[in-house]
Amino acid sequence: MSNYFSRWNELAAIKKELADRDWFYGTSGNLSIKVSNEPVTFLVTASGKDKRKFTDHDFLLVDAAGEKLEETSSKPSAETLLHAKIYNKTNAGCVLHVHTIDNNVITELYKHDTHIDFTGNEIIKALGSWEQDAKVSIPIIPNVAHIPTLAEQFDRYVIGDSGAILIQNHGITVWGKDAFEAKKYLEAWEFLFSYQVKLATIKHVVGSF
Ligand SMILES: CSCCC(=O)C(=O)COP(=O)(O)O
Ligand SMILES: [Zn+2]
């Protein structure tokens, strides 16, 4: 049970940091953290809440199928199955999903592509690639309202204990071995998206003069 409370506090701290960044527009976004391995259980944000607010009902414990393990009127995130897919396939300890303007716009900029490659930026080291001219790549999958189908689309890209997937005009899901790593990766990806969107805008405006 002590693990439950320490994980709860860890997730609440991440939620606060992402709220301070204003990454929870219109109740969007969901976060989770693993509590146990055998069986797999994890804390996940309650569905439909304003994630910038802080209450005793922000998270609930669910099992490997995303079913709640607590007596509560709260519902687990509508996207809990996406988190469950990652915990069931990997040793990830934390999964973060946010909708930002930049992570949506970039999927529109690259709407004919299945992935986006980034190279030539120092922040790539935060994603674990330290070699000269390192390239990182993130897949883009279509947005589907039926979450079990979306979870199936995740499947082929959930191949390691850390990773990230962009969902077309929806948001990003990032996972890592723990909360620190997942947040670091999320921030690095968002940096790259923002950089690319700004650069494309400047090039478009300058090019039109
Ligand atoms: C309000 S945005 C639509 C749902 C969504 O994509 C999301 O991230 C939040 O859903 P949740 O059930 O986790 O609140
Ligand atoms: Zn979402």
Side-chain angles (χ1 to χ4, degrees), residues 126-145:
L127 294 165
S129 299
W130 286 74
E131 64 277 19
Q132 188 74 34
D133 302 323
K135 186 182 87 175
V136 289
S137 187
I138 186 165
I140 310 174
I141 63 169
N143 192 24
V144 179

Side-chain angles (χ1 to χ4, degrees), residues 12-105:
I14 297 276
K15 181 166 161 282
K16 163 99 177 68
E17 287 194 48
L18 303 188
D20 289 346
R21 290 188 177 278
D22 207 7
W23 280 354
F24 292 131
Y25 297 90
T27 75
S28 66
N30 34 76
L31 317 175
S32 69
I33 194 160
K34 190 155 72 176
V35 172
S36 64
N37 273 315
E38 286 175 11
V40 167
T41 66
F42 59 95
L43 283 163
V44 66
T45 41
S47 184
K49 296 207 169 182
D50 182 348
K51 281 92 187 182
R52 291 168 300 183
K53 301 281 191 299
F54 293 85
T55 75
D56 291 341
H57 307 288
D58 286 346
F59 314 119
L60 53 157
L61 191 71
V62 298
D63 64 16
E67 297 296 329
K68 61 182 172 183
L69 294 168
E70 296 180 37
E71 276 300 316
T72 165
S73 56
S74 302
K75 282 193 195 147
S77 166
E79 296 171 349
T80 299
L81 274 186
L82 305 179
H83 297 245
K85 165 70 72 184
I86 293 163
Y87 293 122
N88 286 321
K89 278 194 83 177
T90 74
N91 288 313
C94 181
V95 179
L96 307 174
H97 167 74
V98 294
H99 302 196
T100 66
I101 312 287
D102 288 327
N103 74 31
N104 274 244
V105 170

Side-chain angles (χ1 to χ4, degrees), residues 137-173:
S137 187
I138 186 165
I140 310 174
I141 63 169
N143 192 24
V144 179
H146 185 247
I147 301 302
T149 304
L150 197 55
E152 276 320 298
Q153 290 189 168
F154 259 45
D155 195 61
R156 61 189 290 210
Y157 300 110
V158 179
I159 43 181
D161 297 343
S162 62
I165 297 172
L166 268 172
I167 311 168
Q168 182 79 38
N169 272 323
H170 178 160
I172 187 172
T173 298

Side-chain angles (χ1 to χ4, degrees), residues 171-182:
I172 187 172
T173 298
V174 178
W175 64 98
K177 72 174 188 311
D178 54 29
F180 174 84
E181 192 177 271

